[in-house]
């Protein structure tokens, strides 16, 4: 049976910023979608990230520092619950859909390190797999299409409704529906066994990173470094005792 005909587990984060090493999770969602696209189970979290949420980030996802502090779960407890939900879903064999997986899964991994929580990889005994990333797949199957590749743009391109962008639950659901449409439209990808699809994305993500590096060298940011690893960026080494 093709993966597009089975259940999908979707995961999304909203955060304090874009640096996986230093930024924090503000909201998270883990949602199970059935073959018909309906949501059969879901969990969402609002965290007190333990730091101020920058105004730029609040303007995107709508969560202020005050709201997070008043209504959010303690970060350590929430990180444990989120990580367990993701690992249990993958452990059951259900593919995990994550838009820009390199970011969300790496940031979750760093939060686990920050709070001494067992990571997804540690719980599974290996890197998260199988993961399906709409961003990586779209760039692979439609390499030369012009325009943006953000989730809202992919939803518009593949005909998926997204009513509440930057809400973690809404984004997770939309990502899963988009990737299923991709599999339907691009038959070889939709028919690919999950293990092969995962390997394809590892290779495609590396190629896309190299292409971006070449582009950056030709433009205004020649010193920028884009990590080729996917779906997890390797952890940076840190001084002993530094868990901030």
């Amino acid at each position: 049976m093709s993966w597009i005909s089975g259940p999908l587990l979707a995961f999304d984060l909203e955060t304090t910023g874009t640096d996986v090493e230093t930024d924090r999770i503000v909201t998270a969602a883990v949602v199970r979608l059935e073959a018909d696209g309906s949501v059969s189970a879901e969990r969402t979290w609002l965290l007190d990230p333990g730091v101020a949420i920058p105004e730029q980030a609040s303007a995107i996802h709508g969560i202020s520092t005050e709201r997070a502090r008043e209504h959010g779960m303690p970060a350590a407890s929430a990180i444990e619950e989120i990580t367990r939900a993701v690992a249990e879903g993958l452990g059951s064999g259900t593919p995990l859909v994550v838009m820009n997986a390199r970011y969300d899964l790496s940031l979750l991994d760093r939060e686990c390190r920050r709070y001494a929580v067992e990571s997804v990889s540690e719980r599974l005994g290996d890197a998260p797999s199988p993961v399906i990333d709409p961003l990586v797949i779209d760039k692979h199957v439609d390499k030369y299409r012009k325009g943006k590749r953000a989730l809202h743009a992919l939803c518009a391109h593949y005909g998926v409704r997204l009513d509440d962008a930057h809400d973690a639950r809404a984004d997770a659901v939309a990502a899963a529906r988009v990737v299923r449409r991709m599999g339907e439209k691009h038959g070889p990808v939709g028919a690919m066994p999950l293990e092969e699809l995962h390997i394809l994305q590892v290779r495609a993500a590396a190629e896309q990173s190299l292409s971006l590096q070449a582009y950056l060298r030709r433009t205004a940011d020649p010193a920028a470094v884009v990590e080729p690893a996917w779906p997890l960026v390797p952890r940076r080494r840190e001084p002993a005792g530094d868990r901030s």
Side-chain angles (χ1 to χ4, degrees):
M1 181 181 72
S2 167
W3 60 266
I4 63 174
S5 301
L8 298 172
L9 194 71
F11 171 54
D12 189 75
L13 300 176
E14 296 298 327
T15 66
T16 60
T18 59
D19 188 330
V20 299
E21 302 294 341
T22 60
D23 281 302
R24 311 294 180 93
I25 296 172
V26 178
T27 63
V30 175
V31 183
R32 180 183 171 93
L33 280 81
E34 301 305 326
D36 63 358
S38 64
V39 174
S40 59
E42 62 183 271
R43 290 199 66 184
T44 59
W45 294 264
L46 169 63
L47 285 67
D48 175 0
V51 298
I53 301 172
E55 290 183 4
Q56 308 95 294
S58 294
I60 293 171
H61 53 60
I63 309 297
S64 66
T65 300
E66 294 72 24
R67 179 180 169 190
R69 287 175 176 168
E70 183 176 358
H71 300 291
M73 289 180 63
S77 300
I79 298 302
E80 165 62 35
E81 291 185 8
I82 297 164
T83 307
R84 184 169 64 248
V86 170
E88 287 178 353
L90 284 171
S92 73
T94 306
L96 182 71
V97 178
V98 194
M99 176 70 183
N100 193 10
R102 177 186 280 135
Y103 174 74
D104 286 44
L105 290 176
S106 297
L107 181 55
L108 179 61
D109 178 81
R110 304 317 192 263
E111 288 276 51
C112 287
R113 175 174 62 181
R114 181 172 290 116
Y115 294 106
V117 170
E118 192 176 32
S119 70
V120 173
S121 297
E122 289 165 341
R123 292 166 197 250
L124 296 174
D126 203 349
S129 176
V131 175
I132 306 178
D133 187 337
L135 179 62
V136 172
I137 293 177
D138 184 62
K139 287 182 177 180
H140 176 73
V141 298
D142 204 352
K143 187 179 299 184
Y144 301 109
R145 189 178 79 248
K146 295 181 179 180
K148 296 182 178 180
R149 307 271 183 159
L151 181 59
H152 69 87
L154 295 187
C155 285
H157 182 73
Y158 287 97
V160 171
R161 185 170 177 171
L162 176 59
D163 289 330
D164 196 6
H166 300 296
D167 171 84
R169 180 196 180 278
D171 285 0
V173 171
R177 290 174 176 164
V178 160
V179 87
R180 189 172 267 134
R181 290 279 180 88
M182 287 181 186
E184 293 167 351
K185 181 175 180 179
H186 302 283
V189 168
M192 195 171 288
L194 283 169
E195 183 177 356
E196 293 182 19
L197 180 61
H198 186 91
I199 293 170
L200 169 69
Q201 291 171 96
V202 172
R203 294 172 179 167
E207 292 171 359
Q208 292 159 16
S209 294
L210 290 173
S211 296
L212 180 55
Q213 293 280 23
Y215 171 78
L216 290 170
R217 284 196 294 270
R218 295 195 305 269
T219 56
D221 197 4
V225 175
V226 180
E227 174 57 58
W230 179 95
L232 269 178
V233 175
R235 293 179 178 182
R236 296 177 191 165
R237 292 188 177 183
E238 59 180 354
D242 183 3
R243 299 277 176 175
S244 60

